[in-house]
Amino acid sequence: MMHRIRLPYRSLLWLPLALLFVVPSKATPTITPAAAGFDGERLQRLTSALEAAVSEERMAGAVALVLKDGEVLYEQSVGMRDREAREPMRTDTIFRIASQSKAITSTAILILQEEGKLLISDPVATFLPEFEATTVAVPDGAGSYSVEPAKRRITIRDLLTHTSGIGYGHGRAAAEWKAADIQNWYFAHRDEPIRETVRRMAELPAEAHPGERFVYGYSTDILGAIVEVASGLPLDQFFAERIFAPLGMVDTHFYLPPEKADRLAVVYSRGDDATLTRAPNPGFMISQGHYIDGPRRSFSGGAGLLSTAHDYARFLQMLLNGGELDGQRILSPKTVALMTANHLNGIDYRPGQGISLAFRVVQDVGLFGEPSEIGDYAWGGAYHTTYWVSPHDNLVVVFMTQLIPAKGSDLHQKLRTLLYQAQVE
């Protein structure tokens, strides 16, 4: 049975009603380093490293937030939200989180599975019929490629695990993707609903057959279109009503309300010459503009959200709690366990890590090569944001900055190393 969505739509039409159901964001309690098993003096090494990164112009500014047992263990803002205007970074600064959107879209899919509206084993074509028969670009042995039918239909689980074979339009058939104006992860400038963009994707050759290898790309944007069809709601409305409002994520949006424009961090770039500069506009990501001034029609479940460190930490804490936060249950514990388990079977990813339905998951600490525990799950975003959750240590870590490209940056590795060197129990 096909589900249909009403188009066109505008998010502002339903926003006042949705706000009636927002759970007020509670002040997160704090915990002292000693009570959390950390050495406070050693923890200051992390602050020093972040401040040094600013003074050495390796980033303009950042916010780092660590929760232990659901309480704030560490919170620090450093540097500038806007260097040119001399506006300091604050803990309530709003960031473009790019691919950190993906875990929220995966959560939406699993909410719909819990409601019986889909199964992750379902073919994508059950909801998006244009994916009934897809194609793949394969080498022809003469330096070019031929297009052949996919060996099987793409499933929702293929999308969740990035094994659909669909990339960001830069594979062998890149010229066809470019001609269709579908390349790269940035969607905020598009003046069409995500459902229409995804409809055109289905006509283009994929990079691999479904289920055969990890290919990072538009899979999660396609999931967003499935959420719209299966729920009958625009993606922004579904997120707001089913995830953001219950969790009190009051500053998480696809497009920024005008009254919050002065809280959005500026994007900076650090290229091959190691010089930190305000990111260009325009550019393929069109960094500075469309989240405020764009058409506000395209909701990219793969890379479109804006958020704060606090909001995103609330989302992650809900998962760490087994799907519940402050009395609001989003998922069941069994679904969270499924969501955070490794789902790759013989498909290569990165040493010591697997891929779950939303995250990369540590499988072998030695092969991973950074302080961690088996079962830690994580992801990040194109603007050099990152996060991880450690069920073993009951930790949530969120790091927000706006740096693209971030050539030569070791901030993520130092964040992990300098946090864990302070853990003494």
Side-chain angles (χ1 to χ4, degrees), residues 146-342:
S146 60
V147 177
E148 64 182 37
K151 295 177 182 178
R152 64 166 174 80
R153 292 184 294 179
I154 300 169
T155 67
I156 293 175
R157 187 159 108 159
D158 291 329
L159 297 176
L160 289 164
T161 56
H162 307 286
T163 57
S164 69
I166 299 172
Y168 275 129
H170 297 287
R172 297 183 188 92
E176 295 184 49
W177 285 80
K178 183 176 181 180
D181 190 27
I182 305 176
Q183 278 187 325
N184 306 316
W185 47 266
Y186 189 88
F187 276 72
H189 65 297
R190 292 188 178 276
D191 195 10
E192 68 178 2
I194 190 67
R195 179 71 186 89
E196 296 308 311
T197 310
V198 166
R199 195 186 312 276
R200 293 188 289 118
M201 286 180 190
E203 302 172 358
L204 299 168
E207 296 181 28
H209 288 281
E212 291 195 352
R213 63 185 177 92
F214 178 93
V215 178
Y216 196 57
Y218 291 121
S219 287
T220 313
D221 291 294
I222 299 168
L223 288 173
I226 292 173
V227 172
E228 291 197 335
V229 173
S231 69
L233 296 174
L235 191 62
D236 63 337
Q237 185 174 350
F238 186 92
F239 280 6
E241 292 181 359
R242 304 304 304 279
I243 301 172
F244 302 156
L247 295 180
M249 296 171 66
V250 297
D251 287 322
T252 304
H253 313 275
F254 278 105
Y255 297 97
L256 206 59
E259 66 274 15
K260 297 183 181 182
D262 62 352
R263 292 168 54 199
L264 182 63
V266 170
V267 181
Y268 291 88
S269 296
R270 191 170 187 267
D272 292 329
D273 64 357
T275 300
L276 190 68
T277 59
R278 197 178 183 100
N281 183 19
F284 84 83
M285 57 169 182
I286 323 200
S287 307
Q288 312 293 350
H290 286 126
Y291 292 105
I292 298 173
D293 301 323
R296 296 176 177 252
R297 295 194 70 202
S298 184
F299 304 128
S300 167
L305 286 171
L306 312 169
S307 192
T308 63
H310 270 280
D311 269 18
Y312 207 82
R314 288 185 65 81
F315 168 69
L316 296 176
Q317 188 66 49
M318 173 273 294
L319 295 175
L320 182 56
N321 292 351
E324 178 273 338
L325 182 67
D326 294 338
Q328 300 292 315
R329 180 157 295 282
I330 307 299
L331 296 170
S332 73
K334 286 292 186 184
T335 294
V336 174
L338 176 70
M339 182 182 186
T340 56
N342 177 35

